[in-house]
Amino acid sequence: MAILKYRSNCRFHYHNGTVIFTSESKKFSIRATEAVYVEIHRMLGELADGMDRQKITERYPHFGKLVSLLENQGLIYEIGETLLLQHRDKAYFRMVETEAVGVESALEGISEAKVTVSPGFFAGGALSDLLFASGLAVGMAGKDLDNDITVLSGGQTLAINVAVNPAGEVAVAGADRQMIRHLGSGKAGSETVSAELLAPFLFYSVILTIIGKAPEVFTINEEFEVGRKTLYDPAAGLPEEFRAAGEDPIAGLNKVERFIGMYSSRILSVNRNPEYDDYRQLPLQILTIQYADSADKVRSLYYADMDYGRLASFVSRTAFPEILGQAYGNRPAALSKEDIAVETPDSDTIRQLIKEKEMDLNWTVTGPLSGRYTVRIHDKDADIMAAFKMPLEISEIPVALYTYVSARENGVGTEAAGFKVTEHAQQLAEVNG
């Protein structure tokens, strides 16, 4: 028997002659009188428990188009009666209704999945109790495994792990341990968090893994505040919506902040390094990016410019995707080597600032390579030559120069300012565009 059921995570309400429907990802409305809304409310109340499609059609023949609309929008779905009766009272059922695109296929996957717990995993017993109570197949491995939990589902072997960082924050993630090293290299134990507290997050992660949801990361700090983000997949690359190009600089920077808020990745934060509030920021303004490098060391990169809009544009369009790629082990972009004479924007202002700061600096620009340029600075005070490690568009060249000046003033090292010392120089032919 085909049963129609209303998703438990969808909401609707009436306002000024309009019925407004809201789901996890959609919001739409229809015009209706208050009397019609009351009848819609009654029908959806019956569908919340599930009802035979034929009975709904007979009882509410005038709502045929509305039922079709709600089905198309995913607020109502069809499910077999036997499958519904088998699963609707289980602890995972609401999770599936909330998270899965196809409820029927997700429930079938849960019935077939097999969960294995590593014997050394301290929360394995508490998780097993929850899985047994919901009728899921769970067993204990014969020896300790690299991953805390493995899930066999749909012919794939998937992993769930718990990590803890030096600050004591615990993370639960549906991924191999090597993919979450940025969340902490340590394994959690009972001295860090109780198994009973952790078990519901592990249970949720098992269900998400089985139904094919993108891996999620749950974090629990020492105050027991819980966060949730999607685990960034470096193989898939930066989602299109977060690729800033040709837009307002501040909007681009806001996208970086939004990415950090939505995704758990090796990019950790913006302007959150402990020294940030102590930097001198006039006349140069500063932005910093904190990230975990490919060796899992937390670092902070420092950038500065006189023009905040240009700085924000550089960070969102150039620095952010470059740092993200390199943090996951991608090779850095090649730097050009052939000196050229190029008109450097703000060159007179930059020279005047260098003079005011009583620094002895010269610079050269090399390139172009793939339409971008390399900036090298000869710091005669330190007797070094340093190259900015990111290829730049001509309009971005001042960022490298202002960054070096600001970094020296604030005692920030060349590496943290995005430069690499290429040699200890005695002479440098100056080509100031």
Side-chain angles (χ1 to χ4, degrees):
M1 183 186 298
I3 301 295
L4 285 182
K5 189 173 184 314
Y6 187 68
R7 283 185 186 260
S8 57
N9 63 315
C10 298
R11 298 289 180 267
F12 60 97
H13 66 278
Y14 185 76
H15 181 71
N16 291 338
T18 301
V19 183
I20 302 168
F21 297 91
T22 307
S23 67
E24 288 291 311
S25 59
K26 296 177 182 178
K27 183 176 182 179
F28 61 95
S29 61
I30 60 171
R31 299 291 297 175
T33 65
E34 189 168 348
V36 170
Y37 166 71
V38 170
E39 195 172 9
I40 291 173
H41 193 289
R42 185 185 306 116
M43 180 185 74
L44 294 181
E46 295 180 45
L47 287 174
D49 294 324
M51 179 170 283
D52 175 44
R53 179 187 287 273
Q54 184 63 34
K55 288 184 179 179
I56 284 291
T57 301
E58 292 172 355
R59 191 169 299 181
Y60 302 98
H62 47 295
F63 284 157
K65 289 184 178 180
L66 174 61
V67 170
S68 296
L69 173 64
L70 295 176
E71 278 193 274
N72 290 335
Q73 295 295 324
L75 277 71
I76 288 176
Y77 63 94
E78 186 176 282
I79 183 172
E81 183 179 26
T82 301
L83 195 64
L84 178 61
L85 291 174
Q86 179 185 350
H87 294 278
R88 68 181 180 186
D89 295 327
K90 304 297 187 183
Y92 54 75
F93 186 74
R94 182 177 172 81
M95 301 177 193
V96 173
E97 279 202 321
T98 302
E99 304 284 358
V101 176
V103 175
E104 271 200 320
S105 60
L107 294 175
E108 289 167 353
I110 288 173
S111 296
E112 297 169 0
K114 293 179 174 60
V115 181
T116 302
V117 178
S118 176
F121 181 45
F122 82 101
L127 171 62
S128 296
D129 289 344
L130 295 180
L131 294 173
F132 276 127
S134 288
L136 273 76
V138 57
M140 190 74 69
K143 61 179 181 179
D144 281 342
L145 305 175
D146 291 336
N147 297 309
D148 294 327
I149 302 160
T150 56
V151 179
L152 180 61
S153 176
Q156 293 183 299
T157 301
L158 306 166
I160 297 168
N161 283 288
V162 180
V164 59
N165 65 23
E169 185 175 71
V170 175
V172 178
D176 288 337
R177 188 167 296 281
Q178 63 179 0
M179 289 297 298
I180 61 167
R181 295 199 318 265
H182 66 283
L183 295 170
S185 57
K187 284 194 173 186
S190 56
E191 73 284 354
T192 308
V193 61
S194 75
E196 290 71 25
L197 175 65
L198 202 59
F201 298 100
L202 295 168
F203 182 81
Y204 208 120
S205 296
V206 167
I207 300 304
L208 293 179
T209 299
I210 294 172
I211 68 177
K213 183 83 173 180
E216 299 287 302
V217 176
F218 297 96
T219 54
I220 309 167
N221 66 18
E222 290 185 314
E223 275 69 49
F224 301 107
E225 296 170 324
V226 177
R228 178 180 176 179
K229 296 182 181 182
T230 299
L231 184 65
Y232 174 70
D233 180 6
L238 195 62
E240 185 67 34
E241 63 183 296
F242 294 106
R243 298 175 190 175
E247 63 183 345
D248 175 79
I250 305 304
L253 189 60
N254 288 341
K255 279 189 176 181
V256 175
E257 295 274 18
R258 196 158 64 250
F259 173 87
I260 293 170
M262 291 178 62
Y263 286 89
S264 174
S265 79
R266 289 183 173 271
I267 301 291
L268 305 177
S269 59
V270 173
N271 296 341
R272 294 288 181 87
N273 54 311
E275 308 84 4
Y276 186 80
D277 290 335
D278 297 327
Y279 293 145
R280 182 175 179 181
Q281 299 214 36
L282 291 174
L284 297 175
Q285 300 179 79
I286 298 163
L287 283 172
T288 64
I289 296 179
Q290 291 67 56
Y291 71 103
D293 67 16
S294 57
D296 306 320
K297 182 176 181 180
V298 176
R299 298 181 180 275
S300 184
L301 279 170
Y302 175 107
Y303 301 108
D305 198 347
M306 193 84 74
D307 182 336
Y308 189 79
R310 180 171 57 200
L311 177 62
S313 177
F314 163 75
V315 166
S316 62
R317 295 177 68 243
T318 300
F320 167 58
E322 186 78 11
I323 296 168
L324 185 63
Q326 291 184 26
Y328 282 96
N330 295 347
R331 295 182 62 184
L335 301 179
S336 55
K337 296 180 180 179
E338 183 180 351
D339 287 1
I340 62 168
V342 63
E343 182 67 29
T344 302
D346 286 12
S347 57
D348 290 340
T349 304
I350 295 168
R351 289 192 187 95
Q352 182 60 36
L353 181 66
I354 290 172
K355 183 178 180 181
E356 291 174 2
K357 302 297 183 184
E358 297 182 346
M359 298 178 185
D360 195 353
L361 308 175
N362 294 322
W363 73 86
T364 60
V365 177
T366 61
L369 187 66
S370 300
R372 290 178 175 258
Y373 301 83
T374 299
V375 173
R376 288 179 169 82
I377 289 181
H378 180 201
D379 185 338
K380 296 180 182 179
D381 299 320
D383 193 28
I384 60 171
M385 189 186 301
F388 196 65
K389 291 190 287 188
M390 290 184 193
L392 303 170
E393 296 177 358
I394 287 179
S395 63
E396 296 174 327
I397 290 174
V399 177
L401 301 173
Y402 283 129
T403 292
Y404 194 91
V405 173
S406 180
R408 265 198 52 178
E409 184 178 34
N410 281 302
V412 175
T414 53
E415 184 178 353
F419 284 84
K420 178 181 180 180
V421 175
T422 57
E423 60 182 294
H424 290 269
Q426 297 299 321
Q427 291 182 341
L428 177 67
E430 181 182 359
V431 183
N432 288 350

